[in-house]
């Protein structure tokens, strides 16, 4: 699991999924490993002030089965950042899923990955995505799974998306075990 971080990323957008995926890794050792990457590898200061030291740079990031781009005010800058777009393009080639949480969908849209697809984002990002007639917005969904591209609505929806991906990639039993370990009971679970 590769988490591509940047300044002004929304903390829960990546920490929620990180928690779900790392719990899955604890419950099934060896199956799930997570890492963070940023453009330079320097400390990233998130939207609410959390400082994170990424594991590697975009250029050094190893192949991943799932690539996750969080949202946050920083996406307005990152959607025009050639280094971010190049990292997504390189990593997604070998990934089963490229996913976004919240306004991370704006970055996927700029990379051309939402063309001809359904997508969701945080409500503040909906007007921006609506400018692209090739994207079909799905308002009110917690997440939208389009196969190799998965988008999640705002902030806490990333947890729902992560549980969905755990269920999709490793099965219902592991997803329920992670949900129970986290004591996270979204409604509806289904």
């Amino acid at each position: 699991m590769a988490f591509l971080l940047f300044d002004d990323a929304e903390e829960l957008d990546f920490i929620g999924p990180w928690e779900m995926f790392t719990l899955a890794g604890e419950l099934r050792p060896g199956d799930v490993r997570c890492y963070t990457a940023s453009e330079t590898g320097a400390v990233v200061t998130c939207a609410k002030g959390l400082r994170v030291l990424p594991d590697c740079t975009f250029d050094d990031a190893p192949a991943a089965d799932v690539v996750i781009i969080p949202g946050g005010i920083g996406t307005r800058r990152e959607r025009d950042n050639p280094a971010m777009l190049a990292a997504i393009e390189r990593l997604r080639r070998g990934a089963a899923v490229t996913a976004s949480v919240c306004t991370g969908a704006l970055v996927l849209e700029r990379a051309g990955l939402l063309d001809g697809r359904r997508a969701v984002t945080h409500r503040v990002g909906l007007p921006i995505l609506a400018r692209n007639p090739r994207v079909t917005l799905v308002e009110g969904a917690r997440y939208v799974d389009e196969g190799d591209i998965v988008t999640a609505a705002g902030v806490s929806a990333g947890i729902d998306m992560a549980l969905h991906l755990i269920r999709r990639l490793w099965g219902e039993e592991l997803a329920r075990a992670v949900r129970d370990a986290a004591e996270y009971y979204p409604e509806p679970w289904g």
Side-chain angles (χ1 to χ4, degrees), residues 55-88:
D55 297 308
C56 57
T57 68
F58 289 164
D59 290 338
D60 298 334
D65 296 316
V66 177
V67 180
I68 298 175
I69 298 90
I73 194 67
T75 58
R76 285 25 161 231
R77 177 188 60 252
E78 293 302 313
R79 65 193 309 246
D80 293 318
N81 179 354
M84 171 62 85
L85 298 175
I88 292 169

Side-chain angles (χ1 to χ4, degrees), residues 167-187:
R167 180 174 34 198
R168 182 178 136 185
L169 297 170
W170 294 285
E172 181 81 21
E173 183 178 330
L174 182 58
R176 287 190 182 278
V178 168
R179 182 195 65 180
D180 292 344
E183 294 190 354
Y184 179 71
Y185 302 106
E187 292 300 327

Side-chain angles (χ1 to χ4, degrees), residues 12-14 17 68-72 99-105 121 150-159 161:
L12 192 57
D13 285 4
F14 66 90
I68 298 175
I69 298 90
S100 66
V101 178
C102 194
T103 56
T121 187
V150 178
T151 54
V155 195
S156 65
I159 297 170
M161 179 193 75

Side-chain angles (χ1 to χ4, degrees), residues 85-164:
L85 298 175
I88 292 169
E89 179 57 30
R90 180 178 69 81
L91 290 169
R92 76 175 206 84
R93 279 189 232 130
V97 175
T98 302
S100 66
V101 178
C102 194
T103 56
L106 302 179
V107 180
L108 295 185
E109 183 270 334
R110 184 56 56 89
L113 300 179
L114 301 184
D115 288 356
R117 298 178 188 259
R118 298 173 313 123
V120 67
T121 187
H122 189 281
R123 66 181 171 269
V124 302
L126 289 172
I128 298 169
L129 279 186
R131 293 181 204 149
N132 185 340
R134 295 178 305 277
V135 178
T136 302
L137 296 179
V138 181
E139 295 184 50
R142 295 294 282 167
Y143 56 85
V144 174
D145 187 333
E146 288 284 286
D148 63 329
I149 302 292
V150 178
T151 54
V155 195
S156 65
I159 297 170
D160 297 340
M161 179 193 75
L163 287 168
H164 165 73

Side-chain angles (χ1 to χ4, degrees), residues 2-26:
F3 290 80
L4 304 188
L5 303 184
F6 47 88
D7 284 334
D8 299 314
E10 188 64 39
E11 286 88 342
L12 192 57
D13 285 4
F14 66 90
I15 291 177
W18 176 277
E19 182 73 16
M20 298 302 107
F21 287 122
T22 57
L23 273 171
E26 289 174 6

